[in-house]
Structures are given as C-alpha cells and as structure tokens.
Amino acid sequence: MFTILDRYILKRYLITFMGMLLLFVPIGIMANLAEKIGKIIDNEAPLAEVIVFYGNFTLVIGNLLLPIFLFLSIIFFTSKLASNTEIVAILSSGVSFWRFLRPYFVGATMVAILIFMMGMFIVPHASIGFNEFEYKYFKKGKQTRVTENIFNQLNERDYIYVSSFDPNRKIGYNFTYEHFDSIGKLEYKISASNIRWVEDDSIYRLANYKKREIRNETEYIKGKSRLDTIFPFQIDDLTPVSYVAETKNLFELNDFIEDQRKKGASNINAYVLVKYKRWALPIAAFILTVIAVAVSSVKRRGGMGLNLAFGIGVAFVYIFFDKVFGTLAEQSGFSPLLAVVIPNLIFGVFAVYMLMKAKR
C-alpha cells in the first residue's frame, strides 16, 4: 500500500526525470543541429525531412540515454532531500533504509517498462528514417553494408556466394550458386564473373555464365557469355544494410536473426548484440537507480555538486564499458551476451557495494 512518503518520493522522482528529459533532449537536438547545419544546407535537405529526422533523433538518442537521465535525476532530487535533512528525518522516524528504497524501485520499474516498450516497438520504426536521413545527407559515400566475401544459405539446399558486392550498381562479382539434393550431394553449380539485377525487367543478368550439372555420376557443363534468368532471392538479400537490426521490432528481430543464422551471415554478432542491448537497458535502469540513491542519500560537504560530478563520471564509465565490449562483440567474435552482461554485472556489484556502504 502506498503511503504519503511513497507518493512524495515517487512524485519527485518522476517530475525530476521528466524535467531532465525536457532540459537535455532539446539541448541534444540543438547541439546536433549546430554540428550538421552545414551539411543540411549544402545537401539542400527539405525542411519537412529535417523536422521528421529530428523527431526520430529524439526517440532514438533519447531511448539510449534514458537510463543516464534517470541516474542524474535521482542524484539531483535525492541530494536535495539529503541536504534538507529530509532523509535523516525519514530514517529517524523508524522507516528502514530498504523501506525508503521502495518508491525508487517503483519509479525504476515504470521507467524500465517505458524503455522496454520504446526499445522493442517504437524506436525501431524511428530508426528507419533516422538512419536513412543520416546516410543520405550526412554520410554520403559511406558503406552501409558488408560488401566483401558474402556467403548466404537460402534454404537447406541452396547456397550463394559473391566475393564482393556493389549495392549502388546492384552487382555482385565472382558469383556462385550451389544446389544440393536431399542427402547433401551436389546436383548443380552455377558460376558467373558477375551477377547484376536488371530492375526494368526484374531479372538477373549473369556474365560468363557456366553451369556444372551432375546426373547419374556424369558431369555436364554448359555456358554462355550472358544469361538472363531469375533466382529465389532478392539482390539486397545478399547483404542487408548494417543498421537493419535496429529497424526491426522484437518479433521481427528474432525472426531476422534466425534467418541470418541459417544463411551463415558473417556479421550475425552485430544483430544479436542489438537484441541483447534492448533487454539490458531496462535492467540498467534498476542498477543505476541503486547507485544513484546510495551516492546521494548521504549528506556531504560538497553537496549536490559533488554528487552530480560523481554521477556524471559513473555515467561516462558505464558508456565507455558498453562501447568497448560492444565493439569487441562486433569485430572480434566476442560473445554478444557477455558483451552486454559484463558491464551490467560490474556495475551491479558496484551498486550492491555502494548500497551496503550507504546503509551503514
């Protein structure tokens, strides 16, 4: 049952959190706009697209920083409670430290649910427009895909390979298509110096086409300098854009990862990492809540300024750990699960230590 104390702390919790959002999100937009205004003008980006981009920017960046905003909010208002000796009065009235924490955990649960719903269902849709605008106006010429040594398994019997892929011209080089029978024996193999998607005719054009077919232990080979044909895959399926996982909701992402795993995608870790990070953010809200309360519930000579400085330092260290382990998972084969668990585990242990210290 909620008491007056619970409502008082929870109200301060949520009001300060919303105040942080309303303060820092516009600052983030203005900082980004100041940095990118030159490119927006040079590339003549339409005003309507710019407005939509910054709407998507608010959702994408805001969702990533929600736990940090939450952390700083708690430090801010709890430091004020401590400086006004309100916490001393609450604990002196017979309220235990654990009971004092209850409204904080209620607030953290509400924010964690918000982060979960945004990360799983709202932000993925915003990420489509956000990334498309970024690569259209800010990152012109930068690769959005893996373009070298692409191997895909289309189904249980069909495999394709290209040594390199040009997404702008929709051409793959050194193309190979292999089809196996039900017992895993090669039935035929198609190879070409390149494969190109002809959009006007909705066909594939193979250059220096060669087909090697095996029937009754006899091998048949035929070839042409050019062949127009169709295949059971889309040219863009050879290699999806690098940010594709960010644009899919919870259910779409699970299906996409399973599909890419069957195809033997070389960058599967990047997709799995996105999935695990979405689950880790709500957990981070609880960990950072505990650290924030432990740091700011004790009255210090430095006051709120010292607590906020400590909080900003912890936030930067958390982001640093998250980036380091995320990069390891994407580029060195490090487990995506461990890349997400280790930072939260380290800060979880730190949170428990700080809480025990504050309780004493």
Side-chain angles (χ1 to χ4, degrees), residues 4 25 44 64 86 99 177 255 280 283 328 347:
I4 295 175
V25 169
E44 299 180 348
L64 290 175
E86 291 179 74
R99 178 64 183 81
Y177 182 103
D255 293 340
I283 297 173
L328 284 174
F347 279 84

Side-chain angles (χ1 to χ4, degrees), residues 81-96:
L81 292 179
S83 65
N84 294 333
T85 64
E86 291 179 74
I87 294 178
V88 173
I90 291 170
L91 298 179
S92 299
S93 67
V95 175
S96 70

Side-chain angles (χ1 to χ4, degrees), residues 239-272:
T239 171
V241 292
S242 57
Y243 56 82
V244 64
E246 300 170 18
T247 66
K248 297 186 178 296
N249 65 37
L250 171 63
F251 307 111
E252 292 170 344
L253 182 58
N254 287 335
D255 293 340
F256 174 74
I257 290 173
E258 185 61 29
D259 181 60
Q260 292 298 303
R261 186 172 278 119
K262 289 179 180 178
K263 291 179 177 180
S266 59
N267 54 341
I268 187 71
N269 272 8
Y271 307 141
V272 176

